[in-house]
Amino acid sequence: MTTAPTTAPVSAPTSATRSVLVVGGGAAGNAVTVLLRRAGIAVDLIEAADDWNATAGSGITLQGNALRVLRELGVWEQVRASGYGFDAVGITAPDGTVLHVAEDVRTGGDDLPATVGMQRPRLQSILIDAVRASGARIRLGTRAESLDQDGNGNRDRDGVTVRFTDGTVGRYDLVVAADGLGSATRSAIGITDKPEPTGMAIWRVAAPRPAGVTRTDLAYGGPAYIAGYCPTSDSTLYAYVVEAGRDRAAIPRESYADEMRGLAAAYGGCWPEITEHITDPAKVNYTWFDRMLVEGSWHRGRVVLVGDAAHCCPPTLAQGAALSLEDAWVLARMLTSADVWDGALLQAYYERRIARVRPVVEASVRIGQWQLDGDRDADVPGLMGRTMSALRELP
C-alpha cells in the first residue's frame, strides 16, 4: 500500500456530497459508519475478511461508557437483551473464597449498568445489522491496495483515490482507518508505531454459566497472575486466565484446551464447573497483552485512525472496546458538525481523544506491570477507581 500524505484541508460543500471510506468492520468501524450515515454522508465500508463475523472471539466486557455509545447507535436495547448486566466486581482467593466485593463505577451514567458482559459474536452481529440498515455500501473480502492523496488538497473536491484488491478504484473525501492493531493503513500513511507486548498473555474460552456467577470475579495469585470470568448471558460466560507471555509458535494449537485447563484447575469456587467445559482447543483463544499509543496526531492528510489502529492496552481495565467506540462517536460528531474537514479539525479530534485515552492506557499497563514485578504495595484499587471515575465525563 502506498500513499502521498498531506496536511492540507479536506473540504466539501455539503454533507450530502461528502464520501467516506471506512477500512475495517470491527466495533469502531461499524460505529463510525452508522453515525456518519445517519448524517447523510455516503460511506463505503470494506472488511478484509470474507466472513464478517469469523474472528469475533469468545466474550467481551462492556463498561458503561461503551454502553453509552451503543445507546447513541440505537442498539442498546438489543445489547441489554442479549448480554448480562451487573454492577459489582468480586475479588477472590485462588481457592474461591470471596475477599471483597466492590461496586463498579457507572461510567456511562446512572441510567446504565456499570458493566454488561456478552458474547462477542452477538455484539458483532448486532453492529453488522445496524451497518446494513444504515444504507452503507459494504464490501467483504476487500482491502485497500493503495491510497493516493491529491496535490495540496486546497480545492473543494480534492480527496483520496483508493485502489482496491478487487481491481476497482474509489474516490473519497476522507478515509477512516479502523483496521485494528496490525493496521496496514497506519503504516501506509507513514505512522511507524506498532503494538508492543507487555509481557503477559491471556487464555480465553466461552462456557456455560454456573448459577452462582452473577458478576465478574477475579482471583489473583495461584499459578496465573489473574483467573477471572464474566457472565455473558443467562446461560453463558467467558473465562480467562492471565500468565506470562510465551512464544505462541511453541504452543501447538491442539494443546490449547489442555494448557488452559491445567492453569484453571488450580482455582476453586465456580472454577471446577467452568473447567470441565474447557475441552475443545478450537474454542480456546490465546493472545498476548499489547500496548500502543500513537502520539502527535492520528491523521495524515485525509486519512485518520480510530480504535485499535491508534491505541491499545491490556484488558486490565476492560476499556479497549469502550475507547474504540468513543473514538468513533467523537470523530463522527466532529465531522458531522463541521463545515470544513481539514487538518485542524482532525488534529482537534486527536487532542480531544489523547487526553482521555492516555491515562487509561498508562493505568492498564501499570496494573499489569505491578503484577509482573510482584509489587505487593501497589495501589491497584485506587488507580482503578481514579481512572474509571474520570470516564464518567462525556468524551
Side-chain angles (χ1 to χ4, degrees):
M1 189 186 289
T2 60
T3 185
T6 177
T7 58
V10 184
S11 59
T14 66
S15 64
T17 62
R18 286 173 172 155
S19 62
V20 173
L21 172 67
V22 175
V23 182
N30 293 338
V32 77
T33 296
V34 171
L35 294 169
L36 292 177
R37 283 296 303 137
R38 188 178 296 167
I41 295 170
V43 181
D44 285 1
L45 184 148
I46 61 169
E47 166 55 45
D50 292 312
D51 182 349
W52 205 349
N53 213 13
T55 58
S58 53
I60 187 168
T61 302
L62 298 167
Q63 303 282 8
N65 54 321
L67 304 179
R68 179 163 51 199
V69 178
L70 292 169
R71 184 170 58 189
E72 289 292 323
L73 293 173
V75 300
W76 161 235
E77 293 302 328
Q78 294 164 273
V79 168
R80 177 164 59 181
S82 300
Y84 194 101
F86 53 96
D87 291 299
V89 59
I91 305 299
T92 76
D95 66 2
T97 302
V98 177
L99 304 175
H100 180 65
V101 177
E103 291 297 312
D104 263 348
V105 178
R106 291 194 169 199
T107 55
D110 292 337
D111 55 344
L112 289 168
T115 308
V116 166
M118 67 185 304
Q119 298 173 71
R120 189 181 285 265
R122 178 57 184 144
L123 175 63
Q124 177 72 345
S125 178
I126 290 170
L127 292 175
I128 286 171
D129 288 346
V131 171
R132 294 192 187 282
S134 76
R137 189 168 71 137
I138 303 157
R139 300 167 65 186
L140 303 181
T142 304
R143 293 180 172 85
E145 194 169 58
S146 68
L147 305 169
D148 296 304
Q149 302 198 45
D150 295 338
N152 60 16
N154 286 326
R155 295 164 298 180
D156 282 348
R157 295 312 303 161
D158 278 359
V160 188
T161 299
V162 183
R163 297 184 182 277
F164 299 99
T165 50
D166 61 3
T168 61
V169 179
R171 185 173 173 78
Y172 304 91
D173 296 300
L174 188 71
V175 175
V176 177
D179 47 346
L181 291 181
S183 173
T185 314
R186 182 180 64 233
S187 59
I189 61 174
I191 296 177
T192 58
D193 300 76
K194 295 180 180 179
E196 298 178 351
T198 67
M200 284 182 163
I202 186 168
W203 296 94
R204 293 183 177 99
V205 70
R209 181 182 72 87
V213 174
T214 57
R215 60 172 185 255
T216 284
D217 280 332
L218 302 170
Y220 293 91
Y225 290 111
I226 307 171
Y229 44 74
C230 175
T232 53
S233 74
D234 287 340
S235 60
T236 61
L237 59 67
Y238 82 99
Y240 45 90
V241 182
V242 178
E243 64 170 6
R246 291 188 265 165
D247 181 359
R248 285 171 288 196
I251 310 173
R253 189 68 180 84
E254 60 271 17
S255 74
Y256 273 25
D258 292 339
E259 292 279 353
M260 182 175 182
R261 191 171 57 252
L263 289 167
Y267 294 91
C270 294
W271 273 102
E273 191 173 346
I274 295 168
T275 302
E276 69 182 24
H277 296 284
I278 307 175
T279 57
D280 185 350
K283 295 181 179 179
V284 178
N285 176 259
Y286 180 76
T287 55
W288 286 347
F289 283 180
D290 292 311
R291 69 158 297 166
M292 181 185 68
L293 183 59
V294 176
E295 299 278 5
S297 68
W298 290 352
H299 76 283
R300 298 292 185 272
R302 304 167 184 80
V303 183
V304 60
L305 310 180
V306 296
D308 287 349
H311 50 80
C312 68
C313 57
T316 46
L317 290 172
Q319 275 292 308
L323 293 181
S324 294
L325 288 167
E326 283 189 356
D327 285 354
W329 183 70
V330 170
L331 179 63
R333 283 177 63 89
M334 294 181 73
L335 291 173
T336 56
S337 62
D339 294 327
V340 175
W341 294 0
D342 58 13
L345 177 68
L346 298 179
Q347 185 64 22
Y349 154 71
Y350 161 78
E351 290 171 359
R352 181 169 165 181
R353 291 304 297 148
I354 195 71
R356 188 169 175 96
V357 171
R358 184 186 286 114
V360 177
V361 171
E362 291 178 349
S364 299
V365 172
R366 186 175 297 116
I367 290 168
Q369 191 61 50
W370 278 336
Q371 292 176 290
L372 286 167
D373 294 341
D375 189 344
R376 295 183 177 275
D377 296 322
D379 183 18
V380 175
L383 180 59
M384 292 177 71
R386 292 189 298 274
T387 306
M388 299 303 289
S389 294
L391 294 172
R392 280 182 59 90
E393 301 296 326
L394 284 173

